[in-house]
Amino acid sequence: MATDKNSVIENRAYARIGLLGNPSDVYNGRTISLSLGNFWASVKLEPSDYLMIVPHPSHDLVQFDSLSHLVNRLQTDGYYGGVRLLMAICKIFHNYCKDNNISLHEGGFKLSYDTNIPRQTGLSGSSAIVCAALSCLLDFYQVRHLIKVEVRPNLILNAEKELGIVAGLQDRVAQVYGGLVYMDFDKKLMDELGHGKYTPMDLDLLPPLYLIYAENPSDSGKVHSTVRQRWLNGDKFLISSMEEVADVALEGQAALIAKDYAKLATLMNRNFDLRRQMFGDEALGAMNIEMVEIARRVGAASKFTGSGGAVVVLCPEGSSQASLVEDECKKAGFSFQQVQVMPSFLTQVDLETMS
């Protein structure tokens, strides 16, 4: 899509659900993820005489009622807002274009954002902001045809790495591609291409899914800590468990194609059980485990959508079972809703860049 560089550009990126295989994306594994239409981030780019990143009125608060208000805010939300994310992707995008001899015009712009993705729920709120911003930059500089779709998740991840955010490619792939995507992060592929092999799947293969999340969750970013180091140290239990997690996604792809939802439910539960064995209950957190258990107590399958804060649920017995899960969530104070899956939003121009 050619965009007049004087027109206002607005792009959305959606939250995502890691359906199977996470967190093996960080360990040369395989995953299946989907784009969650219930929540999104939007970024607006307005041409300007100068370049300006606009703070969000509530997410980038710099004015407080008192010192204790400031401290309380930092204790609940940390030093986080979207401005740093927008600045980071601008830098990464600029450097990528420079390194790849992609010339950019000299026009300035004003960048602002909004998001309704619940904080710290493992639904990829940060990367959604970065993904939407990257889309705006591609359109503003009219270089969408010059930057391959497969490379874009790396740019988003690199922007987050700039800020010390620990993550894998899976979330960014789901947000760039949209829809339902099977991903293979095989080491040979990653070394040769710099990215994995990403295969979009038909949305009609999915059964109804549900989402449980906590309004005031614990931080989802602390969970990868010791596991990564143990894996790098060659911990045999961890390496074999992570390979099994990757196999869950491979089997899940076959189960989806066959619409074998009983098998899919078994695999979702297996995925979480393996994660629990590797990370331990302390790292996962009591509230996160309770969200998983609530669904399981009524016979539904459940697992984390990411690294904690939200859970994806499959009800093999249908809507009556989903109602039971919803009732239990209300009692426990968790939010519950049906998953809306967003179809792929890649344009013809995007598709033409793909390998």
Side-chain angles (χ1 to χ4, degrees), residues 74-92:
L74 290 179
Q75 281 168 343
T76 54
D77 289 2
Y79 294 88
Y80 302 138
V83 165
R84 66 188 192 129
L85 297 167
L86 299 181
M87 291 172 81
I89 190 59
C90 285
K91 176 188 170 183
I92 295 293

Side-chain angles (χ1 to χ4, degrees), residues 316-332:
E317 292 164 32
S319 55
S320 59
Q321 194 173 36
S323 296
L324 293 175
V325 180
E326 184 170 19
D327 291 343
E328 292 304 311
C329 285
K330 276 180 186 157
K331 285 182 210 163

